[in-house]
Amino acid sequence: MANKSVWSDNRFWRRTATWVTGFASVLLIWLTFDTSAQIAMGNDQDLQNKVTKRVPGPTVINYKITYEMSAKRGHEIPVIGEKEKFFGRDDYSEEEAGALLHLGKLGSQAKNCMDCHTLLGNGAYYAPDLTKAWLDPAWGPDGAMQALTGKNTKEEAMAEFLMHPDQYPTHARMMPDLGITAKEAKGLVAFLKHMSSIDTNGFPRNFGKIKGAVHGK
């Protein structure tokens, strides 16, 4: 009787399938725990001790955020700097900051922002990607939006635009007036500022090409 090739042996393939399935399961479990640790939100103590977290704590709204090129990683990363006033304060507690972010997140969902915009890779491409909107130099002191809205700070200009977008036509695809209140606008801007502080591995890839975005103020 001729020797049977191992490639046609059902037992070989059953054993192989068992080993591959077992290895893949172990790898998936390890990746799950590793990812959970990577995306776990930091806290105020981390920020005070300058401990870098991929997702900083809510009180990051008390700090200056810039976007800088990392030679080691080959793309831009958010950098948390010194204290910076946000709507006149730089001492929001974790509870206050967390409540603002929660309000902003709920607002972004209630107003269906992702029907037009992209947030952290999710949503649509009809309107600008908002993942790093806080870092867009257009909202900075040398950008057009503060002058256009008549506001003196980035957060006030963003809030004013959100409340009355129809008064500031900046694009052929105008944002509709969604009836956003001052309180909701403050929460949304806090949500956008926190989202810009998240290390997204250089996403969106084309953001760093905007003049003034990298090392922006």
Side-chain angles (χ1 to χ4, degrees):
M1 182 176 179
N3 291 329
K4 190 175 182 180
S5 171
V6 66
W7 303 111
S8 61
D9 189 341
N10 287 335
R11 289 176 300 175
F12 168 77
W13 290 111
R14 281 197 293 268
R15 292 191 189 106
T16 301
T18 300
W19 278 103
V20 169
T21 301
F23 174 77
S25 298
V26 171
L27 180 62
L28 181 60
I29 292 170
W30 178 80
L31 288 172
T32 299
F33 281 103
D34 181 67
T35 302
S36 296
Q38 290 280 344
I39 65 174
M41 183 181 284
N43 54 44
D44 191 53
Q45 198 67 36
D46 294 326
L47 291 166
Q48 291 182 28
N49 294 332
K50 300 188 182 302
V51 176
T52 302
K53 290 284 188 177
R54 188 173 290 273
V55 183
T59 52
V60 73
I61 64 173
N62 291 324
Y63 293 83
K64 186 179 183 66
I65 303 167
T66 56
Y67 205 46
E68 303 182 15
M69 175 62 72
S70 169
K72 180 179 180 180
R73 295 174 60 180
H75 57 71
E76 301 87 359
I77 60 173
V79 176
I80 314 302
E82 301 304 315
K83 285 290 190 79
E84 174 184 68
K85 289 189 182 298
F86 182 73
F87 288 103
R89 291 179 55 189
D90 62 5
D91 59 352
Y92 291 92
S93 67
E94 283 193 303
E95 292 73 20
E96 291 174 314
L100 269 180
L101 298 191
H102 183 64
L103 176 64
K105 181 179 179 181
L106 290 180
S108 71
Q109 295 169 338
K111 302 301 182 181
N112 297 313
C113 295
M114 288 196 295
D115 281 357
C116 297
H117 299 277
T118 303
L119 283 73
L120 296 172
N122 299 302
Y125 296 93
Y126 183 79
D129 190 316
L130 298 181
T131 304
K132 301 298 179 186
W134 174 263
L135 299 170
D136 191 329
W139 299 101
D142 298 323
M145 296 308 297
Q146 287 189 32
L148 188 63
T149 57
K151 301 299 179 180
N152 297 319
T153 66
K154 181 187 297 189
E155 61 271 22
E156 290 173 338
M158 295 180 83
E160 170 64 20
F161 178 82
L162 288 170
M163 290 188 289
H164 309 291
D166 54 323
Q167 295 182 20
Y168 309 104
T170 57
H171 197 277
R173 299 173 179 175
M174 284 183 57
M175 178 175 167
D177 189 338
L178 300 175
I180 296 173
T181 66
K183 183 178 180 181
E184 290 171 332
K186 185 176 181 179
L188 282 166
V189 176
F191 178 67
L192 291 174
K193 183 172 185 179
H194 179 265
M195 183 162 56
S196 76
S197 73
I198 298 174
D199 185 346
T200 54
N201 288 324
F203 176 87
R205 293 296 177 190
N206 61 344
F207 183 80
K209 297 178 181 178
I210 298 175
K211 185 178 180 180
V214 178
H215 303 299
K217 303 300 181 184

